Amino acid sequence: MNFDPRYSTRNFTAVGTRPIRPDGIDKVTGRARYGADFNMAGQLVGRILRSPHAHAKIKKIDTSKAEKLPGVKAVITAADLPDHTNGDAAMYDILDNCMARKKALYDGHAVAAVAAIDARTARQALKLIEVDYEVLAHVTDVDEAMKHGAPLINDAVFTEGLEEKPVKPSNVTKRSQFGHGDVHAGFGHADFVVERSFRTEQTHQGYIEPHACVASANADGTADLWVCTQGHFVYRQHCAQLLGMDASKLRVTSSEIGGGFGGKTHVWAEPVALALSRKAGRPVKLVMTRDEVFRASGPTSATSIDVRIGARKDGTITAAEATLRYSCGPYAGSWAEVGAMTSFACYRLENVKTVGYEVLVNRPKTAAYRAPSAPMAAFAVESAIDELAKMVGMDPVDFRIKNAAQEGTRSSYGPVYGPIGIGPTLEAVKNHPHMKAPLGKNQGRGMACGFWFNFGGQTCTDLNIGMDGSVSLAVGTIDVGGSRASLSLIAAEELGIAYEHVKAVVADTSSLGYNDMTDGSRGTFSTSMATISAARNAIRTLRERAAQMWDISVDDVAWEHGHAVARGEKHGNLGKLSLKEIAAASGTTGGPIAGHSELVADGAGVSFATHICDIEVDPETGATRVLRYTVVQDAGKAVHPTYVEGQYQGGAAQGIGWALNEEYIYGKDGRLQNAGFLDYRIPVCSDLPMIDTQILEIPNPNHPYGVRGVGETSIVPPLAAIANALSNAAGVRMTHIPMSPPRVLAALEAAREG
Amino acid sequence: MAGVAVSTTINGDSVEYLCQPDETLLEVLRDRLGLTGAKEGCGTGDCGACSVILDGRLVCSCLVLGAEAEGRQVETVEGMAHGEQLHPLQQKFLEHAALQCGICTPGFLIAAKDLLAKNPSPTEEEIRFGLAGNLCRCTGYDKIVRAVQDAANMMRGA
């Protein structure tokens, strides 16, 4: 669906307003039901036994004692999850991650599970399971894992993407490369070159709701699954395939979701809960503890990145190059590839080359985390860009404006851009009062840019008009942060009725066609396209019914502001018919009125943001405090501006936590040492200032209202914005994230010692 | 293990239950009494999602035993609204969109209620430190702080 330019001059009546969300009241009264808030009759409690070893061969598992414990109804191991993946390597990895088959590949890898009548019995049963491990050498560091002689995690892995097929197995699963031009020649034309190496540590999405589900497998081969997920249709597909059942026989109902940020896009416990339920013949509730969430869900990659950028005296970048190594956990991924694609996406470059390496380590399987892979690449590139601007002697904003990508620029990862927001966000930052505010002692200001692709994907939506004229909107994308409000606004806008008369719900997998997950910032973008399409289909029917009621041709009936209007002089005597009047008559004019839509939402417009940040560093402790923060981002069209602001603020806060505090800390034994919110410290209220936002609206040409995804880009710039602010405050260039007090203090002391 | 008989008051109602000696108040509320407004985000007192008010004191119900509620007053999120009349904090959280996923919201509402009971005119800094025991991963806290400020104004009749 293309952008309709009439909309840019049109006065939106619903879109752009800020009503209260339809699911709000349940959420402030405690009535909203999340993953762990649902129960079934006869339900058992499931618990998972996890490997204490980073890398170990599983020689034998003896479950006999656990099975004999009174109250235990089922014990399962990998033997109860036979391989139905038929050579699908990615699905086999998911199966192996749900329950280790031959080797435990990380601290926390599931090896067995029980279902018992209560939690205490289940915990006791886990202690009675005897696992005979042969502990193997492990590697958890991304650079160490690439070295010759590093412990091999999977000896069947030979690096893909090399010119010559390797003869030896490796922990590097794939090499990927992007770019154009001739970087060697480009660096030859540079007057200044910055070359730096960076590291970022592994972080977790840190959603407050642990993974939770209730699985009920029936004797007739059908099953129900209640689960917190970002994609119930994808969970259905994966669970059905792993359990060897027809997808249509598994109904998945999504609960309210207590945060996901990419972390609830993969199945971990759900196939285990279904297998337990199948074996026990009763429903099984399985809720992860916080410790399990940290050890055994899907954090983001740890990275090691080298960047080299050259520029002429006039500030033109002549060449840019990056080598990116991303940890994947013990299974293949495409994380470095995505990082390599995003690295230089903000800039107009004649010569650019990025190379990514996917690296296996004995850590949990990497999952998506909000604009996955982009923040680390942006940390490295935007830090180097700032340094280069200083060498050239230009203001960092002006330097970026001079080199910013524009409409028609061939991006560093291939495609040619349409209308984009990088230039406008930079201009807005240049003119923002924040840039002129005074700074005190030990304070500094930094800025940085960020890019995210955005995604569209498969989408299916139903719009049903009740006989009272109110509208039920059934969508298949999970609402992670207010999309039921924005989609209700879209339906109200298109139909020309009040927001209050639309109620959006997330339908279960048996009630609607397939939908991709809520990922890639697609929820509002793609489902609003499907909602507009469904509403237009409903309007066609409404016009037909009005034509029937008036006994005129449908071609003479238009739809305006929620009413059918007869067109043409011969119908001059006919008044308007409201949606409500047409709906009330529907029983005698052909039955229920509905609009349906199924589409692939192509054309998610790319997204850019520029952030400004003021910090103060304590020279005694190395602690860094964020004093002021401003986010400027292109939304295409902000459907519900308050929730757009919320996405900007939330992403910035996560980025601030990543920049300053958060990291997975592994001991020499390969065990995670900080699997809890006390030691893995995410920002609390007193750590942060207000986060100012400025929404720009550069219409996405592929959406009828110009909407772009807004959810992810805001986490991309903070790492570099804070590093640049620290550099300006204290004269130290931080190259290792998080910039925790000990690291900053060490840098300050090194600088003092000169 | 023998159960412990407990008589307590929850949201003004007399309640009796049997619980195990090692069962937390959070488990009792959620699994025995069906009061699932309090959430378990960590089980170790770090996230505040299970916040309740016990005899006028803000506590993490995951760190209190069910047996300890004997003879005491427990306030949970389910008791904040009076029928259809929302508490000013609930209303302001809705108006300011101070929630995205909403899992932390019951804990924040209870913590904010406790804060305003003790300090009806908190500064921004006092709100930020008063709510520092509650984790939110979606909002960046900006809209939560504004909602609490606005609710405090409303409750003072300003």
Side-chain angles (χ1 to χ4, degrees):
Chain A
M1 294 174 99
N2 288 336
F3 177 63
D4 184 341
R6 283 173 304 171
Y7 283 111
S8 58
T9 53
R10 139 182 192 163
N11 284 327
F12 284 100
T13 53
V15 165
T17 63
R18 302 169 183 247
I20 288 172
R21 61 200 282 173
D23 50 314
I25 192 134
D26 281 347
K27 288 182 172 168
V28 298
T29 52
R31 291 177 199 169
R33 291 203 298 176
Y34 294 83
D37 297 338
F38 178 79
N39 297 297
M40 289 181 78
Q43 164 186 298
L44 302 171
V45 175
R47 282 278 185 277
I48 294 178
L49 183 69
R50 300 184 178 278
S51 166
H53 304 295
H55 196 190
K57 195 182 282 178
I58 300 168
K59 292 165 76 177
K60 192 180 164 211
I61 302 180
D62 183 352
T63 60
S64 57
K65 284 181 191 159
E67 280 160 17
K68 287 186 192 121
L69 183 72
V72 171
K73 302 297 178 185
V75 183
I76 63 164
T77 65
D80 296 281
L81 282 162
D83 181 8
H84 294 291
T85 60
N86 296 324
D88 180 337
M91 282 309 292
Y92 184 84
D93 284 351
I94 293 172
L95 177 67
D96 190 60
N97 194 35
C98 286
M99 191 68 80
R101 304 185 79 74
K102 291 173 187 147
K103 290 204 295 183
L105 295 168
Y106 55 93
D107 164 35
H109 199 166
V111 295
V114 303
I117 52 166
D118 56 29
R120 186 191 298 116
T121 310
R123 282 196 296 267
Q124 283 174 345
L126 290 189
K127 289 180 187 160
L128 296 174
I129 298 173
E130 291 168 4
V131 187
D132 187 7
Y133 293 105
E134 179 189 332
V135 177
L136 304 170
H138 67 271
V139 60
T140 54
D141 181 87
V142 62
D143 286 328
E144 293 295 321
M146 286 183 77
K147 287 182 181 165
H148 292 291
L152 270 184
I153 288 162
N154 183 345
D155 59 14
V157 167
F158 293 82
T159 311
E160 290 175 28
L162 299 180
E163 281 181 16
E164 283 183 32
K165 197 171 186 309
V167 291
K168 285 186 179 170
S170 161
N171 287 328
V172 179
T173 63
K174 188 169 69 177
R175 178 191 185 277
S176 50
Q177 184 178 326
F178 298 89
H180 54 253
D182 179 345
V183 285
H184 183 72
F187 281 114
H189 297 129
D191 298 310
F192 303 98
V193 175
V194 164
E195 191 166 0
R196 282 270 187 202
S197 294
F198 300 87
R199 280 182 65 93
T200 68
E201 294 303 328
Q202 186 162 37
T203 57
H204 194 273
Q205 300 85 355
Y207 33 82
I208 309 300
E209 181 198 29
H211 299 262
C213 66
V214 179
S216 177
N218 298 318
D220 63 359
T222 64
D224 277 278
L225 181 68
W226 162 273
V227 61
C228 61
T229 169
Q230 287 175 247
H232 48 326
F233 290 92
V234 174
Y235 273 35
R236 176 179 70 167
Q237 206 78 13
H238 287 180
C239 287
Q241 196 176 343
L242 295 180
L243 286 138
M245 50 189 297
D246 290 343
S248 62
K249 289 185 180 161
L250 174 60
R251 185 174 73 157
V252 182
T253 306
S254 59
S255 69
E256 292 294 343
I257 180 172
F261 316 108
K264 289 175 184 164
T265 56
H266 302 249
V267 292
W268 282 284
E270 297 76 12
V272 174
L274 282 161
L276 281 171
S277 175
R278 193 159 61 179
K279 194 160 182 179
R282 285 169 65 171
V284 173
K285 183 174 192 171
L286 214 166
V287 182
M288 278 196 193
T289 63
R290 179 54 54 183
D291 175 87
E292 289 179 291
V293 172
F294 276 112
R295 287 167 69 210
S297 61
T300 188
S301 304
T303 73
S304 156
I305 301 171
D306 305 327
V307 173
R308 193 170 173 230
I309 313 175
R312 274 200 292 265
K313 283 177 190 159
D314 70 351
T316 309
I317 297 176
T318 59
E321 196 173 18
T323 304
L324 308 98
R325 307 160 202 93
Y326 279 51
S327 71
C328 299
Y331 305 102
S334 295
W335 307 108
E337 182 175 359
V338 174
M341 290 170 82
T342 64
S343 298
F344 293 106
C346 292
Y347 298 104
R348 192 178 70 253
L349 301 169
E350 275 182 36
N351 307 297
V352 56
K353 178 184 173 188
T354 56
V355 176
Y357 294 99
E358 317 294 341
V359 187
L360 300 186
V361 292
N362 292 114
R363 295 186 181 216
K365 184 181 187 220
T366 296
Y369 178 17
R370 202 170 198 154
S373 302
M376 309 81 134
F379 165 59
V381 168
E382 289 293 293
S383 295
I385 289 270
D386 233 52
E387 220 174 339
L388 189 56
K390 275 202 185 109
M391 286 169 84
V392 172
M394 279 180 78
D395 173 82
V397 181
D398 289 334
F399 182 71
R400 286 175 172 87
I401 289 173
K402 185 174 177 72
N403 292 289
Q406 300 163 345
E407 184 168 358
T409 296
R410 185 177 174 200
S411 68
S412 56
Y413 63 97
V416 173
Y417 289 131
I420 55 171
I422 181 65
T425 63
L426 281 162
E427 294 288 348
V429 159
K430 188 179 163 74
N431 296 318
H432 199 285
H434 185 164
M435 289 303 276
K436 296 168 192 75
L439 288 165
K441 197 183 170 200
N442 297 320
Q443 296 180 356
R445 176 168 301 136
M447 51 77 58
C449 300
F451 158 86
W452 184 243
F453 307 93
N454 287 341
F455 178 59
Q458 299 183 66
T459 313
C460 182
T461 297
D462 265 342
L463 187 151
N464 292 294
I465 298 175
M467 287 205 281
D468 63 353
S470 65
V471 172
S472 303
L473 182 65
V475 303
T477 43
I478 302 298
D479 180 352
V480 294
S483 63
R484 274 166 291 188
S486 54
L487 297 169
S488 299
L489 284 171
I490 294 274
E493 184 72 46
E494 197 63 34
L495 293 169
I497 61 173
Y499 168 79
E500 291 71 27
H501 294 147
V502 182
K503 172 83 174 171
V505 297
V506 179
D508 68 52
T509 59
S510 295
S511 309
L512 202 59
Y514 178 85
N515 279 263
D516 284 329
M517 295 182 281
T518 296
D519 63 357
S521 298
R522 73 179 285 273
T524 294
F525 165 74
S526 62
T527 303
S528 69
M529 271 170 97
T531 299
I532 290 168
S533 163
R536 290 178 183 177
N537 289 335
I539 287 169
R540 193 169 58 228
T541 304
L542 287 161
R543 285 172 49 231
E544 285 165 5
R545 299 298 176 84
Q548 200 179 330
M549 288 163 78
W550 281 325
D551 197 18
I552 64 175
S553 163
V554 69
D555 296 335
D556 293 342
V557 180
W559 190 258
E560 288 175 1
H561 308 298
H563 293 77
V565 182
R567 286 272 175 237
E569 287 178 14
K570 60 184 174 181
H571 305 311
N573 296 333
L574 294 172
K576 294 175 182 175
L577 273 174
S578 71
L579 182 145
K580 194 172 177 175
E581 289 167 317
I582 300 168
S586 60
T588 56
T589 59
I593 301 173
H596 184 73
S597 169
E598 56 266 311
L599 50 80
V600 176
D602 284 332
V606 292
S607 169
F608 292 93
T610 302
H611 291 194
I612 320 166
C613 168
D614 294 355
I615 61 100
E616 181 171 320
V617 62
D618 181 341
E620 305 284 316
T621 64
T624 303
R625 185 166 181 79
V626 179
L627 304 172
R628 182 172 177 179
Y629 204 97
T630 302
V631 176
V632 182
Q633 187 177 320
D634 173 21
K637 174 73 194 172
V639 178
H640 190 306
T642 310
Y643 285 104
V644 174
E645 292 164 7
Q647 290 298 317
Y648 291 6
Q649 292 165 334
Q654 286 184 317
I656 291 167
W658 194 340
L660 294 176
N661 264 319
E662 299 176 30
E663 66 178 305
Y664 266 46
I665 299 169
Y666 277 89
K668 287 206 171 90
D669 57 2
R671 288 177 183 155
L672 183 61
Q673 298 190 331
N674 60 333
F677 278 137
L678 189 62
D679 298 317
Y680 182 98
R681 193 174 178 285
I682 71 173
V684 301
C685 202
S686 53
D687 292 331
L688 297 175
M690 292 295 187
I691 297 169
D692 294 333
T693 57
Q694 188 177 344
I695 300 172
L696 303 186
E697 294 187 328
I698 295 132
N700 173 9
N702 306 308
H703 185 285
Y705 295 180
V707 171
R708 296 175 195 263
V710 299
E712 293 169 284
T713 314
S714 51
I715 200 174
V716 183
L719 283 64
I722 294 172
N724 292 338
L726 248 164
S727 166
N728 292 331
V732 291
R733 174 52 62 188
M734 300 303 296
T735 57
H736 194 168
I737 292 281
M739 297 172 282
S740 54
R743 285 198 189 110
V744 173
L745 194 59
L748 292 173
E749 282 171 356
R752 278 179 214 138
E753 284 160 17
Chain B
M1 224 184 294
V4 181
V6 176
S7 298
T8 187
T9 305
I10 300 178
N11 299 324
D13 296 327
S14 295
V15 176
E16 294 184 346
Y17 55 81
L18 276 177
C19 69
Q20 296 297 324
D22 62 351
E23 214 171 311
T24 67
L25 177 58
L26 177 62
E27 287 169 323
V28 169
L29 291 172
R30 290 181 55 82
D31 300 338
R32 293 194 185 271
L33 304 178
L35 294 169
T36 55
K39 309 296 180 193
E40 179 167 324
C42 66
T44 51
D46 299 317
C47 78
C50 66
S51 296
V52 300
I53 296 172
L54 185 65
D55 281 351
R57 185 174 160 217
L58 181 67
V59 296
C60 288
S61 60
C62 73
L63 298 184
V64 176
L65 292 174
E68 289 181 273
E70 171 67 33
R72 302 171 81 175
Q73 303 269 344
V74 182
E75 293 173 61
T76 74
V77 71
E78 286 90 349
M80 279 184 76
H82 292 287
E84 289 191 347
Q85 183 66 41
L86 294 179
H87 187 280
L89 279 162
Q90 293 173 313
Q91 187 59 36
K92 292 302 174 187
F93 266 58
L94 288 179
E95 288 173 14
H96 286 266
L99 53 143
Q100 285 176 29
C101 83
I103 192 90
C104 70
T105 306
F108 267 97
L109 288 167
I110 286 290
K113 183 172 184 249
D114 179 69
L115 172 71
L116 296 186
K118 287 162 185 158
N119 180 359
S121 309
T123 62
E124 182 190 333
E125 192 179 17
E126 286 168 342
I127 293 172
R128 288 189 178 278
F129 279 86
L131 300 179
N134 293 71
L135 298 179
C136 169
R137 193 60 157 171
C138 294
T139 65
Y141 304 103
D142 183 301
K143 294 182 191 304
I144 292 175
V145 173
R146 290 177 200 278
V148 174
Q149 285 173 324
D150 200 6
N153 287 339
M154 187 180 171
M155 288 164 72
R156 289 196 313 272

